[in-house]
Amino acid sequence: MHGYTHNKQDHLRRLRRIEGQARGLQRMVEEDKYCIDILTQVSAANRALQSFALSLLEEHLAHCVADATAKGGAEAEAKVKEATDAIARLVRS
């Protein structure tokens, strides 16, 4: 079981909302909306994705990484490295 499983429906709702934002951006371009208005919506969609990513990361740390570190050994080291790499990717994006 993954750390996000208990919040799966909440996550799916958030992702559907983000999907709607992306469709809204397409519609804005199709309708030749003002550039700054589109950029404002791009910023909102980016923030929504970042918020989702941070929520998922928090659950991963609290569940998957915490379980692995409690067991110790190579699996714990691998999970910490995996989480560190994921954080680095989020920071760079």
Side-chain angles (χ1 to χ4, degrees):
M1 181 160 79
H2 300 290
Y4 63 84
T5 301
H6 65 284
N7 288 327
K8 186 175 182 176
Q9 292 308 312
D10 290 337
H11 289 314
L12 289 171
R13 271 191 291 282
R14 288 176 84 175
L15 289 170
R16 286 185 197 106
R17 198 168 26 247
I18 293 166
E19 180 182 25
Q21 287 177 303
R23 276 191 254 105
L25 285 165
Q26 290 174 320
R27 196 168 35 257
M28 290 177 82
V29 171
E30 288 169 352
E31 296 171 358
D32 293 319
K33 297 294 184 183
Y34 185 57
C35 300
I36 298 302
D37 293 339
I38 297 171
L39 289 170
T40 300
Q41 291 308 310
V42 167
S43 178
N46 281 335
R47 283 192 312 272
L49 276 171
Q50 288 173 346
S51 176
F52 171 74
L54 288 174
S55 176
L56 199 60
L57 178 62
E58 181 180 358
E59 290 173 345
H60 178 68
L61 292 171
H63 182 265
C64 301
V65 176
D67 285 353
T69 55
K71 294 174 187 172
E75 183 182 352
E77 292 175 19
K79 289 291 182 187
V80 169
K81 172 82 169 100
E82 180 182 64
T84 302
D85 291 346
I87 291 167
R89 285 190 303 273
L90 286 172
V91 170
R92 284 191 301 263
S93 64

Coordinates of all heavy atoms in Angstrom, one line a residue:
M1 N 0.8 -1.2 0.0 CA 0.0 0.0 0.0 C 0.9 1.2 0.0 O 1.9 1.3 0.7 CB -0.9 0.0 1.2 CG -1.8 1.2 1.3 SD -3.3 1.0 2.3 CE -2.6 1.3 3.9
H2 N 0.5 2.2 -0.8 CA 1.3 3.5 -0.9 C 0.8 4.5 0.2 O -0.4 4.4 0.6 CB 1.1 4.1 -2.3 CG 1.6 3.1 -3.3 ND1 3.0 2.9 -3.5 CD2 1.0 2.4 -4.3 CE1 3.1 2.0 -4.5 NE2 1.9 1.7 -5.0
G3 N 1.6 5.5 0.5 CA 1.3 6.5 1.5 C 0.1 7.3 1.2 O -0.6 7.8 2.0
Y4 N -0.2 7.5 -0.1 CA -1.3 8.3 -0.5 C -2.7 7.6 -0.6 O -3.7 8.2 -0.8 CB -1.0 9.0 -1.9 CG -0.9 8.0 -3.0 CD1 -2.1 7.5 -3.7 CD2 0.3 7.5 -3.4 CE1 -1.9 6.6 -4.7 CE2 0.4 6.6 -4.5 CZ -0.7 6.2 -5.1 OH -0.6 5.3 -6.1
T5 N -2.6 6.3 -0.4 CA -3.8 5.5 -0.6 C -5.0 6.0 0.2 O -6.1 6.0 -0.3 CB -3.5 4.0 -0.3 OG1 -2.5 3.6 -1.2 CG2 -4.8 3.1 -0.5
H6 N -4.8 6.3 1.5 CA -5.9 6.8 2.3 C -6.5 8.1 1.9 O -7.6 8.4 2.2 CB -5.5 6.8 3.8 CG -4.5 7.8 4.1 ND1 -3.1 7.6 3.8 CD2 -4.6 9.0 4.7 CE1 -2.5 8.7 4.2 NE2 -3.3 9.5 4.7
N7 N -5.8 8.9 1.1 CA -6.3 10.2 0.5 C -6.5 10.1 -1.0 O -6.5 11.1 -1.6 CB -5.3 11.3 0.8 CG -5.4 11.7 2.3 OD1 -6.4 11.6 3.0 ND2 -4.2 12.1 2.8
K8 N -6.6 8.9 -1.5 CA -6.6 8.7 -3.0 C -7.7 9.6 -3.6 O -7.5 10.2 -4.6 CB -6.8 7.3 -3.3 CG -6.7 7.0 -4.8 CD -6.8 5.5 -5.0 CE -6.6 5.1 -6.4 NZ -6.6 3.6 -6.6
Q9 N -8.9 9.5 -3.1 CA -10.1 10.3 -3.7 C -9.8 11.8 -3.7 O -10.1 12.5 -4.6 CB -11.4 9.9 -3.0 CG -11.8 8.5 -3.3 CD -11.8 8.1 -4.7 OE1 -12.4 8.8 -5.6 NE2 -11.2 7.0 -5.1
D10 N -9.2 12.3 -2.6 CA -8.9 13.7 -2.5 C -7.9 14.1 -3.6 O -8.0 15.1 -4.2 CB -8.4 14.1 -1.1 CG -9.4 14.0 0.0 OD1 -10.6 14.1 -0.3 OD2 -9.0 13.9 1.1
H11 N -6.9 13.2 -3.7 CA -5.9 13.5 -4.7 C -6.5 13.4 -6.2 O -6.1 14.3 -7.0 CB -4.7 12.4 -4.7 CG -3.9 12.6 -3.4 ND1 -3.4 13.8 -3.0 CD2 -3.4 11.7 -2.6 CE1 -2.7 13.7 -2.0 NE2 -2.7 12.4 -1.6
L12 N -7.3 12.5 -6.4 CA -8.0 12.4 -7.7 C -8.8 13.6 -8.0 O -8.8 14.2 -9.1 CB -8.8 11.1 -7.8 CG -8.0 9.8 -7.9 CD1 -8.9 8.6 -7.8 CD2 -7.2 9.8 -9.2
R13 N -9.5 14.2 -7.0 CA -10.3 15.4 -7.2 C -9.4 16.6 -7.5 O -9.7 17.4 -8.4 CB -11.1 15.7 -5.9 CG -12.5 15.1 -5.9 CD -13.3 15.6 -4.7 NE -12.8 15.2 -3.4 CZ -13.1 14.0 -2.8 NH1 -13.7 13.1 -3.5 NH2 -12.6 13.8 -1.6
R14 N -8.3 16.7 -6.8 CA -7.3 17.7 -7.1 C -6.8 17.6 -8.5 O -6.7 18.6 -9.2 CB -6.2 17.7 -6.1 CG -6.5 18.1 -4.7 CD -5.4 18.0 -3.7 NE -4.5 19.2 -3.8 CZ -3.5 19.3 -3.0 NH1 -3.2 18.5 -2.1 NH2 -2.8 20.4 -3.2
L15 N -6.4 16.4 -8.9 CA -5.9 16.2 -10.3 C -7.0 16.5 -11.3 O -6.6 17.1 -12.4 CB -5.4 14.8 -10.4 CG -4.1 14.5 -9.6 CD1 -3.8 13.1 -9.6 CD2 -2.9 15.4 -10.2
R16 N -8.2 16.2 -11.1 CA -9.3 16.6 -12.0 C -9.4 18.1 -12.1 O -9.7 18.6 -13.2 CB -10.6 15.9 -11.6 CG -10.6 14.4 -11.9 CD -11.9 13.8 -11.6 NE -11.8 12.4 -11.5 CZ -11.8 11.7 -10.4 NH1 -12.1 12.3 -9.2 NH2 -11.6 10.3 -10.4
R17 N -9.3 18.8 -11.0 CA -9.4 20.2 -11.0 C -8.2 20.8 -11.8 O -8.4 21.7 -12.6 CB -9.4 20.7 -9.6 CG -9.9 22.1 -9.4 CD -10.1 22.5 -8.0 NE -9.4 21.9 -6.9 CZ -9.9 21.0 -6.0 NH1 -11.2 20.8 -6.0 NH2 -9.2 20.5 -5.1
I18 N -7.0 20.2 -11.6 CA -5.8 20.7 -12.4 C -6.0 20.4 -13.9 O -5.7 21.2 -14.7 CB -4.6 20.0 -11.9 CG1 -4.3 20.5 -10.4 CG2 -3.4 20.3 -12.8 CD1 -3.2 19.7 -9.7
E19 N -6.6 19.2 -14.2 CA -6.9 18.9 -15.6 C -7.8 19.9 -16.2 O -7.7 20.4 -17.3 CB -7.5 17.5 -15.6 CG -7.8 17.0 -17.0 CD -8.5 15.6 -17.0 OE1 -9.1 15.2 -16.0 OE2 -8.4 15.0 -18.1
G20 N -8.8 20.3 -15.4 CA -9.8 21.4 -15.8 C -9.1 22.7 -16.1 O -9.4 23.4 -17.0
Q21 N -8.1 23.0 -15.3 CA -7.3 24.2 -15.5 C -6.5 24.1 -16.8 O -6.5 25.1 -17.5 CB -6.3 24.4 -14.3 CG -7.0 24.9 -13.0 CD -6.0 25.0 -11.9 OE1 -5.2 24.1 -11.6 NE2 -5.9 26.2 -11.3
A22 N -6.0 23.0 -17.1 CA -5.2 22.8 -18.3 C -6.2 23.0 -19.5 O -5.8 23.6 -20.5 CB -4.5 21.5 -18.4
R23 N -7.3 22.4 -19.4 CA -8.3 22.5 -20.5 C -8.8 24.0 -20.7 O -9.0 24.5 -21.8 CB -9.5 21.6 -20.3 CG -9.3 20.2 -20.8 CD -10.6 19.4 -20.8 NE -10.5 18.4 -19.7 CZ -11.2 18.5 -18.6 NH1 -12.1 19.5 -18.4 NH2 -11.0 17.6 -17.6
G24 N -8.9 24.7 -19.5 CA -9.2 26.1 -19.6 C -8.1 26.9 -20.3 O -8.5 27.8 -21.0
L25 N -6.9 26.5 -20.1 CA -5.8 27.2 -20.8 C -5.9 27.0 -22.3 O -5.7 27.9 -23.1 CB -4.4 26.7 -20.3 CG -4.0 27.2 -18.9 CD1 -2.9 26.4 -18.4 CD2 -3.6 28.7 -19.0
Q26 N -6.2 25.7 -22.7 CA -6.4 25.5 -24.1 C -7.5 26.3 -24.7 O -7.4 26.9 -25.8 CB -6.8 24.0 -24.3 CG -5.6 23.0 -24.1 CD -6.1 21.6 -24.2 OE1 -7.2 21.2 -23.7 NE2 -5.2 20.8 -24.7
R27 N -8.6 26.4 -24.0 CA -9.8 27.2 -24.4 C -9.4 28.7 -24.5 O -9.8 29.3 -25.5 CB -10.9 27.0 -23.4 CG -12.3 27.4 -23.9 CD -13.4 26.9 -23.0 NE -13.1 26.8 -21.6 CZ -12.9 25.7 -20.9 NH1 -12.9 24.5 -21.5 NH2 -12.7 25.7 -19.6
M28 N -8.6 29.2 -23.6 CA -8.2 30.6 -23.6 C -7.4 30.8 -24.9 O -7.6 31.9 -25.5 CB -7.4 30.9 -22.4 CG -8.3 31.0 -21.1 SD -7.3 31.3 -19.6 CE -7.2 33.1 -19.8
V29 N -6.5 29.9 -25.2 CA -5.7 30.1 -26.4 C -6.6 30.0 -27.6 O -6.4 30.9 -28.6 CB -4.5 29.1 -26.5 CG1 -3.8 29.1 -27.8 CG2 -3.5 29.3 -25.3
E30 N -7.5 29.1 -27.7 CA -8.4 28.9 -28.8 C -9.2 30.2 -29.0 O -9.5 30.6 -30.1 CB -9.3 27.7 -28.6 CG -8.6 26.4 -28.8 CD -9.4 25.2 -28.3 OE1 -10.5 25.4 -27.8 OE2 -9.0 24.1 -28.6
E31 N -9.6 30.8 -27.9 CA -10.4 32.0 -28.0 C -9.6 33.3 -28.0 O -10.2 34.4 -27.9 CB -11.3 32.0 -26.7 CG -12.3 30.9 -26.7 CD -13.1 30.8 -25.4 OE1 -12.8 31.6 -24.5 OE2 -13.9 29.9 -25.3
D32 N -8.3 33.2 -28.3 CA -7.4 34.3 -28.4 C -7.5 35.3 -27.2 O -7.6 36.5 -27.4 CB -7.7 35.1 -29.7 CG -7.3 34.3 -30.9 OD1 -6.3 33.6 -30.9 OD2 -8.1 34.3 -31.9
K33 N -7.5 34.8 -26.0 CA -7.5 35.6 -24.8 C -6.2 36.4 -24.7 O -5.2 36.0 -25.3 CB -7.8 34.8 -23.6 CG -9.1 34.1 -23.6 CD -10.3 35.1 -23.5 CE -11.6 34.4 -23.4 NZ -12.7 35.3 -23.4
Y34 N -6.2 37.4 -23.9 CA -5.1 38.3 -23.6 C -3.9 37.4 -23.0 O -4.2 36.6 -22.1 CB -5.5 39.4 -22.7 CG -4.5 40.5 -22.4 CD1 -3.8 41.1 -23.5 CD2 -4.1 40.8 -21.1 CE1 -2.9 42.1 -23.2 CE2 -3.2 41.8 -20.9 CZ -2.6 42.4 -21.9 OH -1.6 43.4 -21.7
C35 N -2.7 37.7 -23.5 CA -1.5 36.9 -23.0 C -1.4 36.9 -21.5 O -1.1 35.8 -20.9 CB -0.3 37.5 -23.6 SG -0.2 37.4 -25.4
I36 N -1.5 38.0 -20.9 CA -1.3 38.1 -19.4 C -2.4 37.3 -18.7 O -2.1 36.7 -17.6 CB -1.3 39.6 -19.0 CG1 -0.1 40.4 -19.6 CG2 -1.2 39.7 -17.4 CD1 1.3 39.8 -19.3
D37 N -3.6 37.3 -19.2 CA -4.6 36.5 -18.5 C -4.3 35.0 -18.6 O -4.5 34.3 -17.6 CB -6.0 36.8 -19.2 CG -6.5 38.2 -19.0 OD1 -6.0 38.8 -18.0 OD2 -7.4 38.6 -19.7
I38 N -3.7 34.6 -19.7 CA -3.3 33.2 -19.9 C -2.2 32.9 -18.9 O -2.2 31.8 -18.3 CB -2.9 32.9 -21.4 CG1 -4.2 33.0 -22.3 CG2 -2.4 31.4 -21.5 CD1 -3.8 33.0 -23.8
L39 N -1.2 33.8 -18.9 CA -0.1 33.6 -18.0 C -0.5 33.5 -16.5 O 0.1 32.7 -15.8 CB 1.0 34.7 -18.2 CG 1.7 34.6 -19.5 CD1 2.5 35.9 -19.7 CD2 2.6 33.4 -19.6
T40 N -1.5 34.3 -16.2 CA -2.0 34.2 -14.8 C -2.6 32.9 -14.5 O -2.3 32.3 -13.4 CB -3.1 35.3 -14.6 OG1 -2.5 36.6 -14.8 CG2 -3.7 35.3 -13.2
Q41 N -3.3 32.3 -15.5 CA -3.8 31.0 -15.3 C -2.8 29.9 -15.3 O -2.9 28.9 -14.6 CB -4.9 30.7 -16.4 CG -6.1 31.5 -16.2 CD -6.7 31.4 -14.8 OE1 -6.9 30.4 -14.3 NE2 -7.0 32.6 -14.2
V42 N -1.7 30.1 -16.1 CA -0.6 29.1 -16.1 C 0.0 29.1 -14.7 O 0.3 28.0 -14.1 CB 0.5 29.5 -17.1 CG1 1.8 28.7 -16.9 CG2 -0.1 29.3 -18.5
S43 N 0.2 30.3 -14.1 CA 0.8 30.4 -12.8 C -0.1 29.6 -11.7 O 0.4 28.9 -10.9 CB 0.9 31.9 -12.4 OG 1.4 32.0 -11.1
A44 N -1.4 29.8 -11.9 CA -2.3 29.1 -10.9 C -2.2 27.6 -11.1 O -2.2 26.9 -10.1 CB -3.8 29.6 -11.2
A45 N -2.1 27.1 -12.3 CA -2.0 25.7 -12.6 C -0.7 25.2 -12.0 O -0.7 24.1 -11.4 CB -2.1 25.4 -14.1
N46 N 0.4 25.9 -12.2 CA 1.7 25.5 -11.7 C 1.6 25.4 -10.1 O 2.1 24.5 -9.5 CB 2.8 26.5 -12.1 CG 3.2 26.3 -13.5 OD1 3.1 25.2 -14.0 ND2 3.7 27.3 -14.1
R47 N 1.0 26.4 -9.5 CA 0.9 26.4 -8.0 C 0.0 25.2 -7.6 O 0.4 24.5 -6.6 CB 0.3 27.7 -7.5 CG 1.2 28.8 -7.5 CD 0.7 30.0 -6.7 NE -0.6 30.4 -7.1 CZ -1.0 31.3 -8.0 NH1 0.0 31.8 -8.8 NH2 -2.2 31.6 -8.3
A48 N -1.0 24.8 -8.3 CA -1.8 23.7 -8.0 C -1.0 22.4 -8.1 O -1.1 21.5 -7.2 CB -3.1 23.6 -8.9
L49 N -0.2 22.3 -9.1 CA 0.6 21.1 -9.3 C 1.7 21.0 -8.2 O 1.9 19.9 -7.7 CB 1.3 21.1 -10.7 CG 0.4 20.5 -11.8 CD1 1.1 20.8 -13.1 CD2 0.2 19.0 -11.6
Q50 N 2.3 22.1 -7.9 CA 3.3 22.1 -6.8 C 2.6 21.7 -5.5 O 3.2 21.0 -4.7 CB 3.9 23.5 -6.7 CG 4.9 23.8 -7.9 CD 5.4 25.2 -7.8 OE1 4.8 26.1 -7.1 NE2 6.4 25.5 -8.6
S51 N 1.5 22.2 -5.2 CA 0.8 21.9 -4.0 C 0.5 20.4 -3.9 O 0.7 19.8 -2.9 CB -0.5 22.7 -3.8 OG -1.2 22.4 -2.7
F52 N 0.0 19.9 -5.0 CA -0.3 18.4 -5.1 C 1.0 17.6 -4.9 O 1.0 16.7 -4.1 CB -0.9 18.1 -6.4 CG -1.0 16.6 -6.7 CD1 -1.9 15.8 -6.0 CD2 -0.1 15.9 -7.5 CE1 -2.0 14.5 -6.2 CE2 -0.2 14.6 -7.7 CZ -1.1 13.8 -7.0
A53 N 2.1 18.1 -5.5 CA 3.4 17.3 -5.4 C 3.9 17.4 -3.9 O 4.3 16.3 -3.4 CB 4.4 18.0 -6.3
L54 N 3.7 18.5 -3.3 CA 4.2 18.6 -1.9 C 3.3 17.7 -1.0 O 3.9 17.1 0.0 CB 4.2 20.1 -1.4 CG 5.2 20.9 -2.0 CD1 5.0 22.4 -1.6 CD2 6.6 20.5 -1.6
S55 N 2.1 17.7 -1.2 CA 1.2 16.8 -0.4 C 1.6 15.3 -0.6 O 1.7 14.6 0.4 CB -0.3 17.0 -0.9 OG -1.1 16.2 -0.2
L56 N 1.8 14.9 -1.8 CA 2.2 13.6 -2.1 C 3.6 13.3 -1.5 O 3.8 12.2 -0.9 CB 2.2 13.4 -3.6 CG 2.2 11.9 -4.1 CD1 0.9 11.2 -3.7 CD2 2.3 11.9 -5.7
L57 N 4.5 14.2 -1.6 CA 5.8 14.0 -1.0 C 5.7 13.9 0.5 O 6.3 13.0 1.1 CB 6.7 15.2 -1.3 CG 8.1 15.2 -0.7 CD1 8.9 14.0 -1.2 CD2 8.8 16.4 -1.0
E58 N 4.9 14.7 1.2 CA 4.7 14.6 2.6 C 4.2 13.2 3.0 O 4.6 12.6 3.9 CB 3.7 15.7 3.1 CG 3.5 15.6 4.6 CD 2.5 16.7 5.0 OE1 2.0 17.5 4.2 OE2 2.2 16.7 6.2
E59 N 3.2 12.7 2.2 CA 2.7 11.4 2.5 C 3.7 10.3 2.3 O 3.8 9.3 3.0 CB 1.4 11.1 1.7 CG 0.3 12.0 2.2 CD -1.0 11.9 1.3 OE1 -0.8 11.4 0.1 OE2 -2.0 12.3 1.7
H60 N 4.5 10.5 1.2 CA 5.6 9.5 1.0 C 6.6 9.4 2.1 O 7.0 8.4 2.6 CB 6.3 9.8 -0.3 CG 7.4 8.9 -0.7 ND1 7.2 7.6 -1.0 CD2 8.8 9.1 -0.7 CE1 8.4 7.0 -1.3 NE2 9.3 7.9 -1.1
L61 N 7.0 10.6 2.6 CA 7.9 10.7 3.7 C 7.3 10.0 5.0 O 8.0 9.3 5.7 CB 8.3 12.1 4.0 CG 9.2 12.8 2.9 CD1 9.4 14.3 3.2 CD2 10.5 12.1 2.8
A62 N 6.1 10.4 5.3 CA 5.4 9.9 6.5 C 5.2 8.4 6.4 O 5.1 7.7 7.5 CB 4.1 10.6 6.7
H63 N 5.0 7.8 5.3 CA 4.6 6.4 5.2 C 5.8 5.6 4.7 O 6.4 4.8 5.4 CB 3.4 6.3 4.3 CG 2.9 4.8 4.2 ND1 3.3 4.0 3.1 CD2 2.1 4.1 4.9 CE1 2.8 2.8 3.3 NE2 2.0 2.9 4.4
C64 N 6.1 5.7 3.4 CA 7.1 4.9 2.8 C 8.5 5.0 3.4 O 9.2 4.0 3.7 CB 7.2 5.1 1.3 SG 5.6 4.9 0.4
V65 N 9.0 6.3 3.5 CA 10.3 6.5 4.0 C 10.3 6.2 5.5 O 11.3 5.5 6.0 CB 10.8 8.0 3.8 CG1 12.1 8.2 4.4 CG2 10.8 8.2 2.3
A66 N 9.3 6.6 6.3 CA 9.3 6.3 7.7 C 9.3 4.8 8.0 O 10.0 4.3 8.8 CB 8.1 6.9 8.4
D67 N 8.5 4.0 7.2 CA 8.5 2.5 7.3 C 9.9 1.9 7.0 O 10.4 1.1 7.8 CB 7.5 1.9 6.4 CG 6.1 2.1 6.9 OD1 5.9 2.6 8.1 OD2 5.1 1.7 6.2
A68 N 10.5 2.4 6.0 CA 11.8 1.9 5.6 C 12.9 2.2 6.6 O 13.7 1.4 6.9 CB 12.2 2.4 4.2
T69 N 12.9 3.4 7.1 CA 13.9 3.8 8.1 C 13.7 3.1 9.4 O 14.6 2.8 10.1 CB 13.9 5.3 8.4 OG1 12.6 5.8 8.8 CG2 14.4 6.1 7.2
A70 N 12.4 2.7 9.8 CA 12.2 1.9 11.0 C 12.8 0.6 10.8 O 13.3 0.0 11.8 CB 10.7 1.8 11.2
K71 N 12.8 0.0 9.6 CA 13.4 -1.3 9.4 C 14.9 -1.2 9.3 O 15.6 -2.2 9.6 CB 12.8 -1.9 8.1 CG 11.4 -2.2 8.2 CD 10.8 -2.7 6.8 CE 9.3 -2.8 6.9 NZ 8.7 -3.1 5.6
G72 N 15.4 -0.1 8.8 CA 16.8 0.1 8.7 C 17.4 -0.6 7.5 O 16.7 -1.1 6.6
G73 N 18.7 -0.5 7.4 CA 19.5 -1.2 6.3 C 19.4 -0.5 5.0 O 19.2 0.7 4.9
A74 N 19.7 -1.3 4.0 CA 19.9 -0.8 2.6 C 18.6 -0.2 2.1 O 18.6 0.8 1.3 CB 20.3 -1.9 1.7
E75 N 17.4 -0.8 2.4 CA 16.1 -0.3 2.0 C 15.9 1.1 2.5 O 15.4 2.0 1.8 CB 15.0 -1.2 2.4 CG 13.6 -0.7 1.9 CD 12.5 -1.5 2.3 OE1 12.7 -2.6 2.9 OE2 11.3 -1.1 2.1
A76 N 16.3 1.4 3.7 CA 16.1 2.7 4.3 C 17.0 3.7 3.6 O 16.5 4.8 3.3 CB 16.5 2.7 5.8
E77 N 18.2 3.3 3.3 CA 19.1 4.2 2.6 C 18.6 4.5 1.2 O 18.7 5.6 0.7 CB 20.5 3.6 2.5 CG 21.2 3.5 3.8 CD 22.6 2.8 3.7 OE1 23.1 2.7 2.6 OE2 23.1 2.4 4.8
A78 N 18.0 3.5 0.6 CA 17.5 3.7 -0.8 C 16.3 4.6 -0.8 O 16.2 5.5 -1.7 CB 17.1 2.3 -1.4
K79 N 15.4 4.4 0.2 CA 14.2 5.3 0.3 C 14.6 6.7 0.6 O 14.0 7.7 0.0 CB 13.2 4.8 1.3 CG 12.5 3.5 1.0 CD 11.5 3.7 -0.1 CE 10.8 2.4 -0.4 NZ 10.0 2.5 -1.6
V80 N 15.6 7.0 1.4 CA 16.0 8.3 1.7 C 16.6 8.9 0.5 O 16.3 10.1 0.1 CB 17.0 8.3 2.9 CG1 17.6 9.7 3.1 CG2 16.3 8.0 4.2
K81 N 17.4 8.2 -0.2 CA 18.0 8.7 -1.5 C 17.0 9.0 -2.5 O 17.0 10.0 -3.2 CB 19.0 7.6 -2.0 CG 19.6 7.9 -3.4 CD 20.7 8.9 -3.4 CE 21.4 9.0 -4.7 NZ 21.1 10.2 -5.5
E82 N 16.0 8.1 -2.6 CA 14.9 8.3 -3.6 C 14.1 9.6 -3.3 O 13.8 10.4 -4.1 CB 14.0 7.1 -3.5 CG 12.8 7.1 -4.4 CD 12.0 5.8 -4.2 OE1 11.4 5.6 -3.1 OE2 11.9 5.1 -5.2
A83 N 13.8 9.8 -2.0 CA 13.1 11.0 -1.5 C 13.9 12.2 -1.8 O 13.4 13.3 -2.2 CB 12.7 10.9 -0.1
T84 N 15.2 12.2 -1.5 CA 16.1 13.3 -1.7 C 16.1 13.7 -3.2 O 16.1 14.9 -3.5 CB 17.5 13.0 -1.2 OG1 17.4 12.6 0.2 CG2 18.5 14.1 -1.4
D85 N 16.2 12.7 -4.0 CA 16.2 12.9 -5.5 C 14.9 13.6 -5.9 O 14.9 14.5 -6.8 CB 16.5 11.6 -6.3 CG 17.9 11.1 -6.1 OD1 18.8 11.9 -5.6 OD2 18.1 9.9 -6.4
A86 N 13.8 13.1 -5.4 CA 12.5 13.6 -5.7 C 12.4 15.1 -5.3 O 11.9 16.0 -6.0 CB 11.4 12.8 -5.1
I87 N 12.9 15.4 -4.1 CA 12.9 16.8 -3.6 C 13.7 17.7 -4.5 O 13.3 18.8 -4.9 CB 13.4 16.8 -2.1 CG1 12.3 16.2 -1.2 CG2 13.6 18.3 -1.7 CD1 12.8 15.9 0.2
A88 N 14.9 17.2 -4.9 CA 15.8 17.9 -5.8 C 15.1 18.2 -7.1 O 15.2 19.3 -7.7 CB 17.1 17.2 -6.0
R89 N 14.3 17.2 -7.7 CA 13.6 17.5 -8.9 C 12.5 18.5 -8.7 O 12.3 19.4 -9.6 CB 13.0 16.2 -9.4 CG 14.0 15.2 -10.1 CD 13.3 14.1 -10.8 NE 12.4 13.3 -9.9 CZ 12.8 12.3 -9.2 NH1 14.1 11.9 -9.1 NH2 11.9 11.6 -8.5
L90 N 11.8 18.5 -7.6 CA 10.8 19.5 -7.3 C 11.4 20.9 -7.2 O 10.8 21.9 -7.7 CB 10.0 19.1 -6.1 CG 9.1 18.0 -6.2 CD1 8.5 17.6 -4.8 CD2 7.9 18.3 -7.2
V91 N 12.5 21.0 -6.5 CA 13.2 22.3 -6.3 C 13.6 22.9 -7.7 O 13.5 24.1 -7.9 CB 14.3 22.2 -5.3 CG1 15.2 23.4 -5.3 CG2 13.8 21.8 -4.0
R92 N 14.1 22.0 -8.5 CA 14.6 22.5 -9.8 C 13.5 22.9 -10.8 O 13.7 23.7 -11.7 CB 15.4 21.4 -10.5 CG 16.8 21.3 -10.0 CD 17.7 20.4 -10.8 NE 17.2 19.1 -11.0 CZ 17.5 18.0 -10.3 NH1 18.4 18.1 -9.3 NH2 17.0 16.8 -10.5
S93 N 12.3 22.3 -10.6 CA 11.2 22.6 -11.5 C 10.5 23.9 -11.2 O 10.7 24.6 -10.3 CB 10.1 21.5 -11.5 OG 9.5 21.4 -10.2

